[in-house]
Amino acid sequence: MKNKTKNILSLNFDQISHWLINRGEKEFRAKQLWPWLWAKRVKDFSLMTNLSKPLRKILAQNFCIKWPEVRDIKESKDGTVKFLLALEDEKLIETVLIPEKDHYTQCLSSQVGCSLACTFCSTGQMGFKRNMYSHEIAAQILVAQDYLQKKNSPKHLTNLVFMGMGEPLLNWKEVREALQIINHPLGLNFSRRKITLSTVGIKGVLQDFGQSKLALLAVSLHAPTQELREKIMPKAARWDLNELVSVLAEYPLARRERITIEYVLLGGVNDTPEHARQLVRLLSRVKCKINLIAYNPGPDSKYRAPEKKDILKFEQILWSKGMTAILRKSKGQDISAACGQLIVMSKLNS
């Protein structure tokens, strides 16, 4: 039976504080309650021992604590873990834990599906179902942390990337609030330097995100010219590429920060030496580093993976022009958890 009480995770810190004060509680009670929800991951009000028993009872009468429900977990041979999560309305999303040498990075989703329908991305095949709420976005982290704790993992979750399902800046209101939950020192307490938000570039909203200083920026570029970008990601290309790059050239960065440029290499489409030279010219004014990603073909894909020799030529041209370029190793391909492969095909998401 569906719980009719409100999920307390859907309230931000200030809302919880106001709720408590309106019921005659002291202001500091919110500072006691918040860590139980987000830092200690407690799902039962009765276990919140520094709160009075009457307050715990009132909280239980008015609220529930509900995380996304884990419907499936797939583990890759390389250690990548993909979770299928059901939200409160039964909509399904995926989130991925990526193993690094001494830590984990989590790939977070921000929408159920995606409206941009980039031609090389499996998530776009789902279409757009709805925006995720801030607590749903942040609660993906609770699920992952709980999984690692139960596995007694020696490595901890330290890094977050908004590179899962959806375009984060098309859900900026909820993503902003999720980032505030994630940054909160009494809650999840992630440093902004450990959080990267990936976007195709949404005019106006990109500038607002830059001013927020809530996370680092990655831009899904994938083409060095407006014409090619219109072909492979037509909806994203509605913002003219030269205008986007002009905004990136003026983007507010701290002293040692750089924008990450993501570039998926599609075999025979955007991976030639001429494309590399065009990319160098395009980004000459931008303080950036380039993540090259070899395309991961999905079912019925219209593209192919690039040849290794073409990847090396492309990379070497960037290096020769003084660009910082890194070939990002794709993980989780055997469980469809690699870049651009997240997709939920289910009647529950219809």
Side-chain angles (χ1 to χ4, degrees), residues 136-169:
E136 294 173 330
I137 297 168
Q140 294 172 83
I141 300 167
L142 300 179
V143 171
Q145 288 176 327
D146 187 61
Y147 169 86
L148 292 175
Q149 183 180 31
K150 288 176 179 176
K151 286 280 188 177
N152 293 314
S153 172
K155 296 190 290 189
H156 298 289
L157 174 59
T158 62
N159 292 54
L160 305 171
V161 290
F162 281 76
M163 296 181 184
M165 294 178 167
E167 163 52 60
L169 295 190

Side-chain angles (χ1 to χ4, degrees), residues 17 27 33 49 57-58 77 88 96 168 236 246 267 329 334 340:
S17 182
E27 188 175 353
L33 175 57
T49 51
K57 185 176 179 181
I58 291 171
K77 59 188 177 183
E88 290 183 63
V96 179
S246 293
K329 184 178 179 182
D334 56 322

Side-chain angles (χ1 to χ4, degrees), residues 221 245-246 248-249 261 276-288 290 318 321-323:
L221 203 67
V245 170
S246 293
L248 296 181
I261 300 295
R277 288 187 284 269
Q278 288 173 337
L279 187 61
V280 170
R281 290 194 293 270
L282 180 72
L283 298 176
S284 61
R285 297 182 294 121
V286 180
K287 187 180 178 184
C288 66
I290 302 170
L318 299 182
K321 300 299 183 180
M323 306 290 287

